[in-house]
Amino acid sequence: MVVNELWITRHGFREDWVNPNPHYPTHLPYDPPLSKLGLKQAEELGNFLKDKGIEAIYCSPFYRCLQTVAPLVKKTYIPIYLEYAMSEWYGMAYPEYQKPASSDTLKTFFPKIDTSYESSIPIIEGQETVEDCHKRVKKGLDVLLGRLDSDPEGPSRILLAGHAATVVAAVRALMNNANYPISAATCSITRLVRREDGDGWDITMGADTSFLSDGSLRPWTFAGDIPDYEQKKMKKY
């Protein structure tokens, strides 16, 4: 079945934004969980999306993203597939990519993860410029949508869950415009519908946060090859 409706969300508010010494469930210092506010946002996101007919979730393998979709999964039993196309972007901040926990480890926290799924692209290695990130996400989505469109049993409505950078890059890839003006706030939602002729997508909801009681928080878009959130960490050392 052809995918004709696509929802995209960013993870909720991070614990390390409000707590300098958070607990790391995966024991990885770059993989923080959601804060109390982020958990609230995730619940509101789940309530908003529960009746939208979403059939599958393709999610970044970082803990905060999985926590963000967990309330929706609990309400609907939608399966989760770990997708590296939506994984975190660190830019040029580190010589090596800061990898997430293994799928088996993550499944102990989030049982609806399907560990048999093979991501559209391999896990990232090394550094990525802004351009690299856009290319990575576009390549992954091209492969993913190609797979799903050719599967007669595939979903027609899916959710992509990721980080600010990969959410922005995903929207731009689908709009076929690397400069499309969009920013991603925590738990914001963008909805795209495939055109009737199958040639491209239209945005019917752009980075919407009207369903969140705290509104738009920490909207973000690209501004250089080292993300501002990583620059702040680097200044500490």
Side-chain angles (χ1 to χ4, degrees):
M1 187 175 291
V2 173
V3 175
N4 56 41
E5 189 173 311
L6 205 157
W7 299 78
I8 310 176
T9 192
R10 179 189 178 191
H11 63 76
F13 213 87
R14 293 166 49 152
E15 175 66 13
D16 61 339
W17 289 343
V18 294
N19 178 2
N21 297 297
H23 168 65
Y24 293 96
T26 60
H27 304 293
L28 299 173
Y30 42 81
D31 192 20
L34 297 181
S35 65
K36 183 177 179 180
L37 172 57
L39 293 171
K40 176 186 173 185
Q41 290 178 314
E43 285 289 342
E44 292 174 338
L45 176 69
N47 286 331
F48 179 72
L49 293 177
K50 66 184 179 183
D51 61 352
K52 300 301 187 289
I54 294 167
E55 300 162 79
I57 300 171
Y58 296 87
C59 185
S60 164
F62 284 85
Y63 193 88
R64 57 194 175 276
C65 294
L66 290 159
Q67 264 191 306
T68 297
V69 300
L72 174 62
V73 171
K74 186 176 180 180
K75 298 173 194 299
T76 60
Y77 305 102
I78 301 171
I80 305 172
Y81 304 105
L82 300 180
E83 179 52 65
Y84 294 137
M86 297 303 294
S87 192
E88 179 67 291
W89 177 67
Y90 295 105
M92 307 298 285
Y94 307 104
E96 300 294 334
Y97 190 79
Q98 307 297 295
K99 295 181 180 180
S102 70
S103 58
D104 288 337
T105 295
L106 292 169
K107 190 175 176 65
T108 64
F109 297 105
F110 307 100
K112 288 295 288 183
I113 291 174
D114 183 345
T115 55
S116 69
Y117 174 76
E118 182 180 352
S119 177
S120 65
I121 57 171
I123 194 165
I124 302 91
E125 301 286 346
Q127 299 175 318
E128 288 184 301
T129 63
V130 171
E131 182 180 4
D132 292 335
C133 181
H134 282 73
K135 288 180 178 178
R136 183 242 297 185
V137 174
K138 185 179 188 310
K139 179 180 179 181
L141 292 187
D142 285 347
V143 171
L144 174 61
L145 291 173
R147 283 181 188 169
L148 297 180
D149 289 347
S150 63
D151 181 357
E153 302 297 323
S156 62
R157 294 183 180 93
I158 66 172
L159 172 67
L160 302 177
H163 309 260
T166 50
V167 165
V168 170
V171 172
R172 288 175 171 178
L174 293 162
M175 297 303 291
N176 196 29
N177 180 351
N179 296 305
Y180 188 84
I182 190 166
S183 61
T186 51
C187 281
S188 61
I189 274 287
T190 295
R191 176 179 180 262
L192 299 99
V193 176
R194 197 169 230 157
R195 294 173 189 151
E196 288 188 9
D197 62 5
D199 185 19
W201 300 79
D202 291 317
I203 291 180
T204 63
M205 183 181 296
D208 185 68
T209 57
S210 61
F211 58 92
L212 298 173
S213 58
D214 293 287
S216 177
L217 298 175
R218 294 182 75 110
W220 186 95
T221 194
F222 289 94
D225 285 332
I226 298 180
D228 54 353
Y229 46 85
E230 296 299 336
Q231 288 178 350
K232 291 175 183 177
K233 291 180 186 178
M234 294 166 70
K235 289 177 181 178
K236 294 180 181 179
Y237 302 102

